Amino acid sequence: MIKSMTGYGRSEQQFDEYRITVEVKSVNNRFLDYGVRVYKQYSFVEEMIREVLSSKISRGKVDIAISFDNIKNDDRVVSLNEDVARGYYNALKEMGEKFSLTNDVTVSTLASFQDVFQIEKKEQDKEKITADVKQVFCAALEDLTTARAREGERLAAFFNECTDGMMQLLSVIEERAPETVTEHREKIKARVEEVLAGTQIDETRLLQEVAMFSDKVNITEEIVRFKSHMREFSLLLRSDVPVGRKLDFTIQELNREVNTMGSKCNDFTIGRAVVDLKAEIEKLREQVQNIE
């Protein structure tokens, strides 16, 4: 079944050290275009995002937002700078000896010097983070795919309704086309009789004129091709692979056949059906732009 390019998906999962939330929004676009919003320190996951996204979606503009909520605030490591602490201790001890002061150096004394301790950010486990983000991202994509498929079903129902109406209009044209030849023959005959005022009509010449007109307004081939394109359109609607571009091309072919029918047949009934057909084709064209 066809899928729309419009949809929204979301997933949120809790892990040992953090909670990851991924939101994915997509709209129609001629090609696959995407943007990722993620904290700078986690930008290394973007390569994985690109690979997974391109394997799941072929067309559309996709916006991806990834957020981390740290549950454990232990992403920093505090360690003792022994050389600096020893330097402070020796300096304080020497100061006490020189000035005959009581040596009251304690841990608290040394801790008051900020450079005694080193505060470093804990090294990231990039492989684990990437795997965790991938798990949440894939779940969000599944949610997005479900939304796109649901919208695709709605569009398919709309397309089927339109194509049913188009086939009814084509039936009007197909039924009316032969009548235009008969009517033209009678009109020519009536005019000739009027001009010649009862003189015998050359039936051979009359048949030649009718045959020339019949060949000029013959739209049998256009009707056959139109039906063929309509069958192709219906088959594409049931496809499980992206067919948006093929649907758009088929609509162009349908429009070409209808224009030819309109230009060949100078008939009010057919002309009105052609106008209605073109209006329905335009409806299809607008909505097909949303199909992946």
Side-chain angles (χ1 to χ4, degrees):
M1 184 62 71
I2 58 172
K3 292 184 180 69
S4 169
M5 283 188 281
T6 303
Y8 171 81
R10 184 180 188 277
S11 180
E12 179 180 313
Q13 296 184 32
Q14 176 71 52
F15 297 89
D16 291 338
E17 298 181 351
Y18 41 66
R19 180 171 56 250
I20 300 176
T21 303
V22 177
E23 291 183 283
V24 187
K25 301 176 184 178
S26 68
V27 294
N28 60 317
N29 197 57
R30 290 185 63 191
F31 309 101
L32 177 59
D33 182 21
Y34 73 97
V36 182
R37 287 185 289 120
V38 64
Y39 299 137
K40 187 175 181 180
Q41 62 265 37
Y42 301 117
S43 60
F44 55 83
V45 304
E46 291 189 24
E47 179 63 21
M48 175 275 296
I49 294 295
R50 182 189 65 79
E51 292 178 358
V52 173
L53 184 66
S54 59
S55 69
K56 301 287 186 180
I57 295 177
S58 62
R59 285 209 305 165
K61 186 177 185 337
V62 185
D63 291 319
I64 304 158
I66 305 171
S67 62
F68 291 78
D69 293 318
N70 288 324
I71 304 303
K72 296 181 180 179
N73 296 316
D74 57 352
D75 58 341
R76 295 178 183 275
V77 178
V78 180
S79 61
L80 175 65
N81 191 328
E82 293 186 20
D83 292 337
V84 173
R86 186 175 292 107
Y88 277 124
Y89 176 77
N90 291 334
L92 290 170
K93 183 179 178 181
E94 182 181 352
M95 185 174 66
E97 292 174 352
K98 282 187 177 182
F99 296 102
S100 301
L101 299 173
T102 302
N103 187 354
D104 60 350
V105 179
T106 64
V107 172
S108 298
T109 304
L110 293 178
S112 64
F113 300 103
Q114 293 184 355
D115 51 352
V116 166
F117 298 104
Q118 293 177 328
I119 302 176
E120 299 176 343
K121 196 168 184 63
K122 186 187 295 183
E123 186 176 353
Q124 293 177 320
D125 187 344
K126 293 184 177 181
E127 289 188 5
K128 181 181 184 307
I129 293 173
T130 300
D132 291 343
V133 171
K134 183 177 182 179
Q135 181 177 320
V136 184
F137 179 56
C138 286
L141 276 182
E142 285 297 321
D143 194 32
L144 173 69
T145 300
T146 299
R148 286 159 60 106
R150 188 165 52 244
E151 179 65 11
E153 289 179 2
R154 188 191 68 79
L155 288 172
F158 169 80
F159 291 146
N160 287 327
E161 183 179 347
C162 279
T163 53
D164 287 345
M166 289 167 64
M167 290 304 294
Q168 291 178 11
L169 290 170
L170 184 67
S171 296
V172 171
I173 295 174
E174 191 172 17
E175 190 175 314
R176 175 62 182 162
E179 297 177 359
T180 61
V181 177
T182 302
E183 291 179 1
H184 184 69
R185 180 182 185 282
E186 296 301 321
K187 286 180 181 178
I188 292 178
K189 186 176 181 180
R191 289 174 183 172
V192 171
E193 288 178 344
E194 181 180 354
V195 171
L196 298 180
T199 305
Q200 186 175 1
I201 300 175
D202 184 348
E203 290 290 337
T204 301
R205 179 59 179 166
L206 179 61
L207 289 174
Q208 288 177 347
E209 289 290 336
V210 172
M212 290 174 59
F213 176 80
S214 176
D215 185 61
K216 180 181 177 182
V217 301
N218 187 355
I219 56 174
T220 301
E221 290 185 8
E222 286 76 13
I223 290 174
V224 170
R225 286 196 294 266
F226 189 92
K227 288 180 178 180
S228 176
H229 295 321
M230 290 293 284
R231 285 193 295 271
E232 176 67 14
F233 192 89
S234 296
L235 288 174
L236 290 173
L237 291 180
R238 296 193 290 273
S239 177
D240 292 326
V241 298
V243 292
R245 290 190 179 93
K246 289 184 178 179
L247 286 171
D248 191 38
F249 175 77
T250 303
I251 287 175
Q252 293 179 35
E253 294 301 305
L254 287 170
N255 195 57
R256 182 178 291 110
E257 301 303 338
V258 171
N259 283 334
T260 305
M261 291 181 205
S263 63
K264 280 188 173 184
C265 292
N266 186 20
D267 178 77
F268 175 78
T269 301
I270 292 178
R272 184 172 59 185
V274 164
V275 170
D276 291 341
L277 266 178
K278 293 176 72 171
E280 293 300 311
I281 289 174
E282 188 58 32
K283 290 180 185 178
L284 292 181
R285 189 197 306 278
E286 289 177 1
Q287 296 302 322
V288 159
Q289 307 309 313
N290 295 317
I291 300 300
E292 183 181 7

